[in-house]
Amino acid sequence: MFEWTVQENPGTLRVLISGFQSWSEAELRPLTDVQAAPQQAWRTEQGHDPSFPPSGRAGVWRSHTVLALVRADGSGWVGSVGEAPLTFAQWEATAQADHVRVTCTLEGPPVPVTWEATQDVTATLETRAAELGAAMQARTPAPLRVWCSWYSYYRDVTLDAMLDNARLAREQDLPFDVFQLDDGFQAELGDWLEPSAHFGGHARELPARLAELGFTAGLWLAPFLVSPRSALFAEHRDWMLRGQDGEPLPVGHNWGGPYHALDTTHPDVLAWLRELGRTVRSWGYTYLKIDFLYGAALPGVRHDPHAGRAEAYRRGIEAFREGVGEDAFILGCGAPLAQSTGVVDAMRTGPDVAPIWDEDSRRVWLGDATGPSARNALHTALSRWYQHTWYQPDPDVAICRRELSLLNATEREAIAGMLDVIGGLRASSDPIRLLDPEGLTLLRRCLTLSRPDRPATLAQSLGNAVTHFTRGTFNLTDTPQDGIPAHGFRPGRAQEGHA
């Protein structure tokens, strides 16, 4: 363990953290605040690192890969690592009476660790992030504009619905590159090659028909997850990540109950992942969104007892990459972040957007801000602005519709502002038929590519996140602040960011 002492009054400092995986909170908070911790174990497993969870204590802040302390003038300290393919770097800052104790613990092989004072925390963090990306041969291809089925149809998606939206998008001349089929086409988690009863066809039928309309076909998979109801589970229980009792571990709660994860150190599992990748690629899918990837990195008993958690995860995503090929575009989600660099092309950098602003019952009362909501997506994605040198960032979809949504116009504009500031992928999931002229105008703006912006300051915040950027300021609080309405965005020099 590395340890440092910062001789500074903790009450004068802010702390910038990044959680374990895509959905784990990233925040900019007063150091003496309380880091929220989920009140339910399965929410920790599904949204955080159970081996290094949020502290739940005042003045104790845990972060993965990077950590920064910020003075009121923007100076401070930055902690980082030089690379991270097989290693989790676990940072902790603890406020003492008149100083701050900072530690970094490495889980995995040794990697370079730096803790440095700086006059400009923003610039230093960006530099160290870029160095990590270069060391890990980050893939940062051109960003794509994607329509996905999830927030339109959720698990009720059908083949006809996909084609209907693609035809309407072509008629409206909407500038999408990819039409991505999301969850709901498959029989079960793990049984990816068998269609669900309601899909009305087979996923292999979609790519050729999308190509006729001028779109690339995309497909969602959760390749490491296995439903206990699946044929894969029935036939290969020995492929599962196990507990100390030898039984398959539950690794989260969704799809109506608990589910399991593959042991990605098992040679047969790696062969299965390669074949899955080859198969969906042979169907014509060159854009793959792979989700819930954290399952391969959870604590458990593995086939290879010498492989650490980060190494097990890396073996799994590399096997899938080998299957789909180097020229396929992979978007990771629900994934350990730095450990994916060099394998994925893009990465979700926050929780799901949703057609609601906040789910405060879960966030406030259960201590879990990893769930779907516009507020959670902005809060975390904005606080990871520097990660664009690791992959193309994916802050999730624009919500431009007024029907089937509880977002107001101010909140829809805030999401649009986030997309402009973050850059990276642009995505939509609105049913095209529900978009009125105003919605279509907003969607076209949200599909306009932009370069990543950078913070104007880390010394101010309207909502415990990074909110002040050179191209605009966000107010993530529930009351008007600095002339910005609650949940709002005030543009600055917006046009300078357009690519």
Side-chain angles (χ1 to χ4, degrees):
M1 182 176 72
F2 300 84
E3 182 173 351
W4 303 267
T5 299
V6 175
Q7 297 292 347
E8 198 89 5
N9 177 2
T12 67
L13 298 175
R14 292 178 181 267
V15 60
L16 178 70
I17 65 158
S18 181
F20 176 60
Q21 51 119 314
S22 301
W23 310 321
S24 312
E25 282 183 278
E27 305 191 75
L28 176 65
R29 299 284 295 275
L31 179 60
T32 52
D33 277 2
V34 176
Q35 184 178 23
Q39 300 302 303
Q40 296 171 299
W42 73 265
R43 293 193 188 272
T44 300
E45 295 165 353
Q46 188 166 291
H48 300 276
D49 181 0
S51 289
F52 191 66
S55 73
R57 292 181 286 159
V60 180
W61 289 87
R62 291 178 168 179
S63 183
H64 287 76
T65 306
V66 299
L67 179 137
L69 299 177
V70 188
R71 293 191 182 103
D73 63 358
S75 66
W77 297 262
V78 172
S80 59
V81 295
E83 58 179 356
L86 307 179
T87 301
F88 294 138
Q90 300 162 341
W91 292 88
E92 184 174 89
T94 304
Q96 307 288 355
D98 59 355
H99 67 278
V100 183
R101 177 177 179 261
V102 177
T103 63
C104 181
T105 302
L106 300 180
E107 182 185 335
V111 295
V113 177
T114 60
W115 176 254
E116 57 190 308
T118 174
Q119 292 302 305
D120 187 338
V121 169
T122 298
T124 298
L125 180 55
E126 290 171 339
T127 298
R128 297 294 166 260
E131 291 171 349
L132 184 148
M136 295 182 64
Q137 299 180 300
R139 304 168 65 103
T140 53
L144 297 171
R145 295 161 296 185
V146 181
W147 187 91
C148 87
S149 61
W150 182 244
Y151 302 102
S152 287
Y153 302 99
Y154 296 94
R155 300 205 72 244
D156 293 329
V157 65
T158 64
L159 181 63
D160 285 345
M162 289 293 299
L163 293 170
D164 181 54
N165 279 278
R167 292 188 194 101
L168 288 169
R170 180 55 64 223
E171 291 172 9
Q172 294 284 348
D173 198 26
L174 293 170
F176 289 109
D177 303 304
V178 176
F179 260 68
Q180 180 219 305
L181 172 59
D182 213 281
D183 184 16
F185 69 90
Q186 77 283 359
E188 287 287 355
L189 296 177
D191 296 343
W192 304 107
L193 309 186
E194 299 299 323
S196 62
H198 71 265
F199 184 61
H202 196 287
R204 63 172 169 255
E205 301 172 48
L206 184 60
R209 299 178 72 177
L210 287 175
E212 293 172 358
L213 294 167
F215 298 118
T216 295
L219 185 68
W220 175 94
L221 297 166
F224 301 156
L225 296 194
V226 182
S227 166
R229 300 180 297 274
S230 67
L232 182 66
F233 184 79
E235 295 167 9
H236 296 290
R237 285 176 62 95
D238 58 315
W239 286 8
M240 305 300 133
L241 182 65
R242 292 165 289 129
Q244 293 297 328
D245 60 0
E247 290 299 307
L249 278 175
V251 298
H253 194 283
N254 208 336
W255 296 278
Y259 49 87
H260 305 286
L262 292 170
D263 174 0
T264 52
T265 70
H266 196 299
D268 292 342
V269 168
L270 296 176
W272 182 87
L273 287 167
R274 293 186 192 99
E275 184 58 27
L276 175 63
R278 280 191 290 268
T279 298
V280 296
R281 179 62 190 269
S282 74
W283 292 350
Y285 290 100
T286 57
Y287 176 101
L288 288 309
K289 177 183 175 181
I290 53 175
D291 205 350
F292 290 82
L293 299 182
Y294 71 87
L298 291 176
V301 176
R302 292 178 163 84
H303 178 83
D304 182 354
H306 303 294
R309 294 191 298 136
E311 181 178 353
Y313 170 71
R314 188 80 176 191
R315 289 186 194 179
I317 58 172
E318 287 180 343
F320 186 80
R321 164 61 78 181
E322 290 170 18
V324 297
E326 283 297 309
D327 58 339
F329 190 104
I330 296 179
L331 165 63
C333 187
L337 298 165
Q339 292 68 35
S340 303
T341 303
V343 178
V344 303
D345 298 282
M347 176 66 75
R348 172 73 67 74
T349 52
D352 284 10
V353 171
I356 58 170
W357 176 255
D358 195 7
E359 189 188 4
D360 56 2
S361 58
R362 175 171 172 174
R363 179 175 64 85
V364 176
W365 300 112
L366 296 178
D368 179 22
T370 67
S373 77
R375 179 263 176 207
N376 289 353
L378 269 73
H379 182 96
T380 288
L382 291 171
S383 301
R384 288 176 170 152
W385 85 93
Y386 54 88
Q387 293 185 7
H388 64 87
T389 52
W390 298 358
Y391 26 63
Q392 284 290 354
D394 169 30
D396 206 15
V397 302
I399 302 287
C400 301
R401 66 183 187 258
R402 289 190 287 181
E403 297 182 60
L404 301 179
S405 172
L406 297 177
L407 295 172
N408 61 37
T410 296
E411 293 160 349
R412 294 193 295 272
E413 286 289 339
I415 296 173
M418 172 184 68
L419 299 179
D420 179 67
V421 161
I422 296 300
L425 266 65
R426 295 304 179 96
S428 169
S429 191
D430 290 318
I432 306 298
R433 290 188 186 279
L434 292 187
L435 293 174
D436 58 15
E438 179 184 331
L440 286 168
T441 298
L442 179 59
L443 174 57
R444 292 180 195 280
R445 177 151 56 89
C446 289
L447 293 176
T448 302
L449 300 178
S450 62
R451 295 186 300 272
D453 195 14
R454 62 196 308 264
T457 180
L458 297 179
Q460 296 175 273
S461 175
L462 301 180
N464 292 324
V466 180
T467 55
H468 289 60
F469 289 82
T470 68
R471 298 208 296 270
T473 303
F474 298 84
N475 176 15
L476 304 185
T477 74
D478 295 332
T479 59
Q481 302 281 341
D482 193 23
I484 308 172
H487 314 162
F489 172 68
R490 180 177 62 209
R493 300 188 304 275
Q495 297 305 311
E496 294 184 11
H498 291 164

